[in-house]
Amino acid sequence: MRIFIPIDGSERSLNAVRYVAAQPAFLGDDPEICLFVALEPASARIMTAFNPQTEDEFYREEAAGVFRLVDDIFPNRSDKVTVTYGVGPIAETIVKAADAYKADFVIMGTTGKGSFGGLLLGSVSQEVVHESHRPILLIREEVPSILPMDYLAIAVDNSDHSRRVLAFLQAHMDHFKPGAQFDLIHVEKATPDKPVGTVETTPFIAGSVGALIESTLQHAGMKTTTVTVYGEPGESIATYCEQRSIDMVLMGSHGYSMLVASLVGSTALSVETLCETPLFLVR
């Protein structure tokens, strides 16, 4: 398992590193971890003070200052934990570096700006989410407990996005704690009889993606509950997970660009914006 973690020295990015240190079981046996710093090109004014022989040294020192911040988190880094950096537009540089590393998934800290705010102000994590085709785990302000994940949720529909979650589970079930509880969430529009926030325990239709996910989990010894939540998808999933203190929520994502996602709507973007729960997006 190859894990790629972009860091910039901020607390939110260091939270992603803390998560890795706190949840080693989720990373599988003997994972390889790459800590990566993306640096914006220095301005011409700054670089005039450096001759071509020292330009690389300038960037190395900039990156080294960030890497020193993880020394307390990984005090005894093994040869399985590497550090490297790249120079260029931040999100684009991260996406290209993750591809070059052939990362199995990316872990990032995120501020969770609203979709409109993120579009106007810029959010590196949102840009990476919508430009990368690799699975991404987003960690918010609060670092999850060091205890193994006992209670997870999966947002399920009958789309190809949910089929990708099914494929991920089939390939990586050993990353989850045996006997963990999984709530499988399906969202329906609210009605006068089923107002926003209504939660019902309902089975999936036989042969549906949800039923296949449930069967896969149960076959692996996991506990499952299937629920229908009424309301808007993003808000309903985020509210459900926070009210029940879910340790992680998994869902598929279509990977629209930020502009398209903000204009046409994206459940993944909405959950990322609203949900404090660690969010794993399968691409």
Side-chain angles (χ1 to χ4, degrees):
M1 180 67 73
R2 297 169 69 84
I3 314 300
F4 186 85
I5 311 175
I7 57 175
D8 59 11
S10 66
E11 280 300 306
R12 67 178 181 273
S13 75
L14 294 179
N15 279 349
V17 183
R18 295 185 183 105
Y19 182 88
V20 169
Q23 296 284 359
F26 179 66
L27 305 181
D29 295 330
D30 201 25
E32 297 179 29
I33 298 170
C34 177
L35 304 175
F36 180 80
V37 173
L39 300 169
E40 291 184 310
S43 68
R45 175 177 295 181
I46 291 177
M47 293 315 302
T48 55
F50 296 85
N51 60 47
Q53 288 73 35
T54 61
E55 184 174 334
D56 286 344
E57 182 179 353
F58 171 80
Y59 288 121
R60 283 198 301 272
E61 285 299 315
E62 286 288 301
V66 178
F67 292 135
R68 282 192 286 270
L69 296 175
V70 305
D71 286 344
D72 290 339
I73 305 173
F74 279 127
N76 299 306
R77 291 203 295 264
S78 69
D79 58 0
K80 293 290 186 178
V81 180
T82 59
V83 295
T84 187
Y85 70 92
V87 180
I90 300 300
E92 178 184 333
T93 301
I94 289 171
V95 171
K96 288 182 177 179
D99 287 343
Y101 184 65
K102 297 181 180 179
D104 289 297
F105 63 86
V106 177
I107 302 180
M108 294 188 70
T110 179
T111 57
K113 291 176 181 174
S115 57
F116 188 62
L119 182 63
L120 294 180
L121 303 176
S123 168
V124 170
S125 63
Q126 287 182 355
E127 289 185 59
V128 172
V129 163
H130 295 289
E131 298 301 330
S132 176
H133 296 286
R134 297 184 179 275
I136 298 178
L137 173 59
L138 297 173
I139 305 297
R140 295 290 293 276
E141 303 298 330
E142 183 177 348
V143 181
S145 167
I146 194 171
L147 297 175
M149 292 178 291
D150 294 307
Y151 194 9
L152 302 96
I154 302 177
V156 179
D157 57 23
N158 280 317
S159 69
D160 287 341
H161 319 317
S162 289
R163 294 184 186 278
R164 295 187 189 107
V165 175
L166 172 61
F168 179 86
L169 291 172
Q170 291 170 333
H172 301 292
M173 187 63 71
D174 57 336
H175 292 265
F176 300 97
K177 178 184 175 182
Q181 170 69 40
F182 282 80
D183 284 5
L184 308 182
I185 309 170
H186 177 67
V187 180
E188 294 282 358
K189 288 186 177 181
T191 67
D193 293 335
K194 309 286 186 182
V196 171
T198 300
V199 178
E200 294 182 332
T201 302
T202 52
F204 288 113
I205 297 173
S208 67
V209 179
L212 293 174
I213 290 175
E214 182 179 26
S215 176
T216 298
L217 291 167
Q218 291 177 348
H219 183 73
M222 306 298 178
K223 303 171 186 175
T224 63
T225 300
T226 61
V227 298
T228 298
V229 182
Y230 292 84
E232 293 301 318
E235 184 177 355
S236 297
I237 294 167
T239 300
Y240 183 93
C241 292
E242 290 185 4
Q243 288 179 345
R244 288 157 180 78
S245 299
I246 298 290
D247 294 321
M248 178 189 289
V249 56
L250 296 84
M251 63 185 301
S253 172
H254 41 49
Y256 286 152
S257 70
M258 279 189 65
L259 177 60
V260 173
S262 295
L263 293 177
V264 307
S266 164
T267 298
L269 179 61
S270 180
V271 174
E272 176 194 349
T273 299
L274 299 171
C275 192
E276 294 293 336
T277 304
L279 171 62
F280 192 91
L281 297 173
V282 182
R283 315 305 292 275

